[in-house]
């Protein structure tokens, strides 16, 4: 049986988007309560009835959340222009070798705004 298993994480961070035009509100320093969803895909082990122990996802993700939480994202290597698109790619690069079957990264910055990346 093929399934997609996902787990949510939250962090607070500040950012400025230097690629936005002068005068755009997002070019100024501002913050968000981000939500990260990490999804893995694969076959359920019939003897255990699971794809992954959720703790395995947490073990890979929590060090990254701790790095970003209450930080200025622009100061993080690889996030000098921390759009949610770039953040999704950054998380993918950091997690792809640690989470076999990594399927999807979703970075949500507001209740209505998110980016979904599938490593393509």
């Amino acid at each position: 049986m093929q399934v997609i298993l996902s787990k949510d994480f939250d962090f607070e961070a500040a950012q400025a988007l230097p690629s936005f035009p002068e005068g755009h509100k997002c070019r100024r320093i501002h913050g968000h309560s981000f939500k990260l969803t990490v999804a893995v895909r694969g076959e359920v082990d019939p003897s255990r009835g699971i794809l992954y122990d959720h703790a395995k996802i947490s073990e890979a993700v929590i060090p990254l959340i701790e790095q970003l939480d209450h930080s200025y994202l622009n100061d993080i290597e690889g996030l000098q222009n921390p759009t949610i698109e770039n953040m999704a790619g950054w998380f993918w690069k950091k997690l792809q070798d640690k989470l076999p079957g990594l399927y999807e990264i979703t970075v949500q910055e507001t209740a209505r705004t998110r980016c979904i990346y599938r490593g393509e």
Side-chain angles (χ1 to χ4, degrees):
M1 174 172 62
Q2 182 89 199
V3 298
I4 298 168
L5 179 69
S6 63
K7 189 159 186 179
D8 295 331
F9 302 87
D10 299 301
F11 63 98
E12 312 285 331
Q15 67 183 152
L17 301 179
S19 65
F20 279 47
E22 287 292 334
H24 192 287
K25 67 181 181 177
C26 292
R27 190 177 171 105
R28 297 189 305 263
I29 295 175
H30 62 285
H32 290 288
S33 297
F34 290 96
K35 177 181 173 184
L36 170 70
T37 303
V38 176
V40 293
R41 180 179 174 180
E43 290 291 323
V44 172
D45 178 343
S47 66
R48 297 180 63 214
I50 66 170
L51 167 63
Y52 259 73
D53 180 340
H54 294 169
K56 184 176 180 180
I57 298 171
S58 294
E59 288 170 9
V61 175
I62 287 175
L64 301 176
I65 297 298
E66 289 174 345
Q67 181 182 4
L68 300 182
D69 191 41
H70 286 80
S71 72
Y72 180 54
L73 297 177
N74 300 63
D75 289 341
I76 306 293
E77 181 66 35
L79 291 178
Q80 291 80 4
N81 183 30
T83 62
I84 55 176
E85 295 88 344
N86 287 338
M87 291 171 66
W90 184 87
F91 277 110
W92 185 277
K93 287 177 192 170
K94 300 284 186 180
L95 294 171
Q96 67 182 348
D97 293 336
K98 296 179 181 178
L99 294 175
L102 182 61
Y103 175 69
E104 184 175 271
I105 298 287
T106 303
V107 178
Q108 184 170 337
E109 69 181 2
T110 71
R112 296 181 203 95
T113 309
R114 71 194 56 80
C115 176
I116 299 168
Y117 181 61
R118 293 189 179 143
E120 300 162 353

